[in-house]
Amino acid sequence: MASTVTPSKKSPEGTRHDAPSRPGYGQLLRTRGAWTFLLPGFAARQPFAMLTISIVLLVQHTTGSYGVAGAAAAVTGVSMALFAPYSGRLADRFGQRAVLLPGVLVHTASGLTLTLLALSDAPLWALFAAAVPTGASVPQIGPMVRARWGVKLGGTPLMSTAAAFESVTDELTFVLGPLLATALCTGVGPAAGLVTESALTLVGGLLFAAQKGTQPRIAGGDGGHARVDHVPALRVPGVRVLAVIFLGIGSVFGGMQVSLAAFTESIGEPGMNGVLYGVFAAGNMLSGLACGAIAWKVAPQRRLLVGYTALALTASGLWAAHSVLVLAGLGLLVGMCIAPALVTGYTLVEDLVPAGARTEAFTWLTGAVALGQAAAVTVAGQLEDRLWGGAGFLVPMGGTVLALAVLVTLRSRLAAPPRGRTVARGVGHRSPATVD
């Protein structure tokens, strides 16, 4: 979400970034060293989009229940939501590589264990036990990439373009991931999706961890950021508000995944599940591209309010769709409304959170999406099992409407604090002063 540009600013290394009045993707991708973490980062984050749908399809196949499948996926999501912020905090303090290397090994082992347990008709408690480390060890690649952009671009107008680019990248993975997982689970075998997810996590995570030159400085490593590096991100009021907003977004992802799977199975076209979810994610991706190409003059707080209102309105119509075409059209609109909220939320982190706590802040938001998704797949699965087909679509409506109410009530907390009181921009914000 590019905004009107001020004169050139300095990066942490003292290099001047002279950006045009409308910074774009071309200039962003020409940033020196960016491709060294973008390509492995894309490979490493791809499995995340496969995880939930792979668990749902595998467990539903072995148990015959969407409620049980949703519960198993929910345990994974809750575990990730609870542990992701601690992973981000550890990455801020000890470096991303130190967190990634053991994390990808644990995730691969636990994902394969969960697969074997599901195929052997293990009891539900055993599936839950394996789902906990599977979720807790999900590599937080997206927040880590965003933190690396902060190192490269901190304080420049290209940061908002980077936020939009990352949203588009996330959504591209959510176009490809569900399609790939569904194709593997329906065409190869019910376990193929989760096995592939585990393998891709291992390979992609190790490749990303190898890129040591672009990772942020370890907290307190140079002494220049000691006072702000140890401030927990959740102490920032705006981060707490954004976490609630992202919970609502997670309810859309989770509700769509379960409800689309149930809908396509009810009409005898299970293969359409990935297509419909891909249409939904494609809408998100396209609107994210547009957000990054526009020179916004409207304050991000107002953009978030308008965009989230549109999201709640479109999500409220999903439950009434009774055909593939109508559901595809509504899914596309819902997806187009998600990206502006995601991009704006991540952009606001740059204004609200000190540089040394941004990876943690980003993981709180990512974890909030995962927690909302986990709750949504659980509730939507129960609704699909016990009520009418399509009842699970009530979950995105409820989640977004409740989150919108919180946003309207607490939107004042999203205003950046005065510069003299606390560090809001961190890297590249201004010349170091005592509060920095």
Side-chain angles (χ1 to χ4, degrees), residues 92-119:
D92 283 329
R93 296 191 63 179
F94 301 108
Q96 296 181 359
R97 178 183 172 87
V99 175
L100 276 173
L101 291 178
V104 296
L105 296 176
V106 172
H107 184 78
T108 301
S110 56
L112 294 176
T113 300
L114 176 58
T115 303
L116 292 174
L117 289 172
L119 292 176

Side-chain angles (χ1 to χ4, degrees), residues 20-305:
S21 60
R22 295 188 64 173
Y25 295 113
Q27 185 190 6
L28 179 72
L29 297 178
R30 289 194 296 271
T31 301
R32 182 179 300 176
W35 286 104
T36 63
F37 63 85
L38 283 181
L39 289 178
F42 180 80
R45 77 211 305 177
Q46 183 63 53
F48 177 73
M50 302 173 61
L51 181 59
T52 300
I53 189 65
S54 295
I55 293 175
V56 168
L57 293 176
L58 171 61
V59 177
Q60 194 279 330
H61 175 83
T62 58
T63 66
S65 170
Y66 279 105
V68 173
V75 171
T76 304
V78 170
S79 179
M80 194 201 88
L82 293 177
F83 283 90
Y86 296 101
S87 173
R89 187 178 301 174
L90 290 173
D92 283 329
R93 296 191 63 179
F94 301 108
Q96 296 181 359
R97 178 183 172 87
V99 175
L100 276 173
L101 291 178
V104 296
L105 296 176
V106 172
H107 184 78
T108 301
S110 56
L112 294 176
T113 300
L114 176 58
T115 303
L116 292 174
L117 289 172
L119 292 176
S120 61
D121 296 323
L124 189 58
W125 65 264
L127 296 180
F128 287 174
V132 171
T134 301
S137 57
V138 170
Q140 299 302 309
I141 301 298
M144 289 181 179
V145 171
R146 287 180 169 90
R148 293 186 187 220
W149 277 124
V151 172
K152 291 289 183 180
L153 306 171
T156 72
L158 277 173
M159 273 308 304
S160 57
T161 305
F165 179 82
E166 286 305 308
S167 178
V168 171
T169 303
D170 284 339
E171 291 319 306
L172 180 58
T173 67
F174 276 96
V175 172
L176 300 177
L179 286 172
L180 177 59
T182 302
L184 289 170
C185 290
T186 58
V188 178
L194 197 52
V195 170
T196 302
E197 187 275 340
S198 299
L200 287 176
T201 297
L202 178 64
V203 175
L206 292 178
L207 287 174
F208 184 78
Q211 309 305 313
K212 296 184 290 184
T214 54
Q215 69 176 347
R217 294 190 184 101
I218 297 174
D222 61 5
H225 300 281
R227 288 191 61 184
V228 300
D229 284 334
H230 300 291
V231 177
L234 206 59
R235 288 187 183 178
V236 179
V239 173
R240 296 196 293 269
V241 176
L242 289 173
V244 175
I245 302 310
F246 278 50
L247 278 171
I249 293 174
S251 75
V252 178
F253 287 127
M256 291 286 281
Q257 285 182 344
V258 172
S259 301
L260 287 175
F263 174 80
T264 53
E265 182 175 332
S266 69
I267 63 174
E269 295 288 346
M272 288 296 295
N273 175 34
V275 176
L276 286 174
Y277 197 86
V279 169
F280 159 70
N284 197 344
M285 183 176 63
L286 292 173
S287 63
L289 282 169
C291 285
I294 296 173
W296 294 100
K297 295 183 180 179
V298 179
Q301 294 83 359
R302 181 173 296 181
R303 296 203 306 269
L304 182 59
L305 180 61

